[in-house]
Amino acid sequence: MSIRHALLNKTLVNKAQSNKTLLNKAQSNKALLNKAQHTNVLLKTVSTLGLMLTFATTAHAEITARMGTSLPEAHPQTLGAKKFAELVEEKSDGEITITVFSNGILGNDVNMTSMLQSNTLDFTAPSTATLSSLNPDFNIVSLPFQFDDSEHADAVLDGEAGRGLLASLDDKKLVALEYWENGFRHMTNSRRPIETLEDIEGLKIRTMQNALYIDLFNGLNANAVPMSVNELFTAMETRTVDGQENPYTVIDAKRFFEVQKYLSRTAHAYDAQVLVASAGFMQSLDDAQRQLVREAAREATLYQRAQSRAMNEELLSELQDKMTVNVVADSERQRMREALAPVIQQHTQALDPAVVTQFQAALADAR
């Protein structure tokens, strides 16, 4: 073979090898392309699934809320709060959970109501006397000697007169849901039984931090001392005050019988509480969630009132074994009411006349 032919063959071999290399590279590039396309498909699938999971999680995200009460675990206020929490969780299929903090852990009624307004607490159940600082018309519920019994109170408060008061809190960053029962208030003290109007004179009686209650006891010639209920046991133990006035459930739950000898059944005023929500919390819910919260509130209210009435009746019997208990005659209760006529007139005149007219008509109609 000539040198020329040898060189030609070598060139052809080199070209063939080069073509083979190019073919291999092409095949490799095709494989990489396929792999990249496959990876891209996988990434898109994962991304889509991620978005779906995100939407699903958002749609069913757990909503947590807090509720504070001022009274102990065994009191109907806290029992009602726990029932309310249970019903909300049940009706929302676990989507909304409410944790209850009892016995003033988060503060007194005034503190906790303010926390609702600042959206740092979601629910509480203050006395109507506490709410009178936001709307004085709530004092009409606390006027002395106006309700005949618990059923009479239910008829008035669950009717238009009571509902109108609840609606008045709408512009206070609060949503008032229902009236709960604390019960009829009775007097205790460490000095003597109260059988007549004159027996009240000179006693240092703790009252709620409410102008009506302060004037009420000063009007009975006692010395009214306003303070938080959570400070009261120590004040009576140290004789800073002689006595106080509360429903039987509070007297028992706070163990006032340990520092008070006499319980006089004056039934001078009916004490209602209001289940209140933060407007901010309610606005964060959708329509269906708000509706189930309202339904749970109504069901919890019926439970709470039943608990309050059963416990007040039962506890009276128990307190008779721990304290000297006396019934105040209706004639003496009437004398007390007459002595308070100027106080009642003064505080009634400070209210919206339309509210007073509606409430007094409701009281008469419900008798």
Side-chain angles (χ1 to χ4, degrees):
M1 178 182 297
S2 67
I3 293 174
R4 183 179 177 183
H5 282 117
L7 290 171
L8 180 60
N9 286 337
K10 186 176 181 181
T11 299
L12 290 172
V13 169
N14 288 339
K15 284 184 176 180
Q17 289 175 336
S18 177
N19 288 338
K20 184 177 181 181
T21 299
L22 289 171
L23 179 62
N24 288 337
K25 284 184 178 180
Q27 290 174 334
S28 177
N29 288 339
K30 183 177 180 181
L32 288 171
L33 178 61
N34 289 337
K35 186 175 181 180
Q37 290 173 332
H38 181 65
T39 300
N40 191 40
V41 169
L42 284 174
L43 287 172
K44 285 182 178 179
T45 302
V46 169
S47 178
T48 301
L49 287 172
L51 286 171
M52 291 172 65
L53 286 170
T54 299
F55 290 141
T57 302
T58 302
H60 299 284
E62 183 178 324
I63 298 168
T64 58
R66 299 188 307 155
M67 178 168 182
T69 67
S70 59
L71 293 163
E73 292 280 320
H75 189 275
Q77 183 197 51
T78 302
L79 294 177
K82 290 189 171 183
K83 186 66 172 180
F84 174 58
E86 174 189 317
L87 288 166
V88 168
E89 184 169 3
E90 177 186 306
K91 290 177 179 294
S92 68
D93 294 325
E95 198 171 312
I96 305 173
T97 59
I98 302 172
T99 303
V100 177
F101 298 86
S102 65
N103 206 25
I105 292 173
L106 300 181
N108 60 32
D109 281 349
V110 175
N111 301 145
M112 289 187 286
T113 302
S114 296
M115 290 170 70
L116 259 66
Q117 291 178 295
S118 62
N119 211 29
T120 55
L121 184 65
D122 305 301
F123 297 96
T124 191
S127 167
T128 53
T130 298
L131 294 174
S132 69
S133 65
L134 299 175
N135 176 8
D137 290 339
F138 271 101
N139 269 331
I140 199 166
V141 179
S142 302
L143 289 174
F145 302 108
Q146 68 176 341
F147 289 113
D148 299 338
D149 51 35
S150 293
E151 289 71 24
H152 188 205
D154 287 351
V156 175
L157 297 179
D158 287 344
E160 289 185 15
R163 292 291 167 186
L165 285 175
L166 297 185
S168 73
L169 296 180
D170 289 351
D171 63 353
K172 308 295 184 184
K173 299 182 181 180
L174 300 171
V175 178
L177 298 169
E178 294 285 345
Y179 288 98
W180 286 3
E181 179 171 282
N182 199 19
F184 284 91
R185 304 178 77 89
H186 306 275
M187 296 181 66
T188 72
N189 79 96
S190 57
R191 292 176 58 184
R192 57 180 174 261
I194 295 170
E195 297 179 337
T196 67
L197 171 62
E198 288 73 21
D199 292 328
I200 301 173
E201 185 174 353
L203 292 176
K204 292 179 289 186
I205 301 294
R206 173 268 174 184
T207 71
M208 287 186 283
Q209 296 154 301
N210 171 275
L212 169 61
Y213 274 85
I214 295 169
D215 290 346
L216 189 161
F217 281 93
N218 286 336
L220 294 173
N221 294 318
N223 296 317
V225 183
M227 69 172 63
S228 166
V229 71
N230 292 316
E231 301 170 12
L232 179 52
F233 186 96
T234 301
M236 292 190 296
E237 187 177 36
T238 59
R239 299 297 177 93
T240 302
V241 296
D242 298 314
Q244 60 85 52
E245 45 87 44
N246 259 305
Y248 303 137
T249 50
V250 179
I251 295 169
D252 178 76
K254 288 292 190 178
R255 304 186 68 82
F256 292 157
F257 53 81
E258 293 182 359
V259 289
Q260 297 277 272
K261 182 175 180 180
Y262 301 103
L263 166 58
S264 301
R265 297 173 60 188
T266 50
H268 51 272
Y270 177 81
D271 193 21
Q273 298 163 333
V274 178
L275 175 58
V276 185
S278 161
F281 177 78
M282 293 296 282
Q283 289 164 7
S284 73
L285 305 178
D286 61 34
D287 290 344
Q289 291 168 334
R290 280 191 288 271
Q291 180 60 29
L292 73 85
V293 167
R294 289 187 176 278
E295 290 173 0
R298 186 58 191 165
E299 291 179 33
T301 295
L302 299 178
Y303 169 85
Q304 191 276 339
R305 289 176 180 173
Q307 289 292 310
S308 178
R309 288 159 198 180
M311 288 180 68
N312 270 303
E313 185 174 338
E314 179 183 339
L315 288 172
L316 173 59
S317 176
E318 293 182 14
L319 289 170
Q320 286 172 333
D321 295 330
K322 301 171 183 176
M323 306 175 75
T324 300
V325 179
N326 70 284
V327 177
V328 178
D330 287 342
S331 58
E332 285 300 320
R333 293 179 69 249
Q334 180 60 29
R335 288 185 67 213
M336 293 176 189
R337 191 185 193 291
E338 290 170 359
L340 289 171
V343 173
I344 295 171
Q345 181 180 15
Q346 173 194 344
H347 283 272
T348 300
Q349 289 176 343
L351 307 179
D352 182 339
V355 170
V356 173
T357 299
Q358 184 182 38
F359 209 88
Q360 290 178 339
L363 284 166
D365 291 345
R367 283 195 166 92

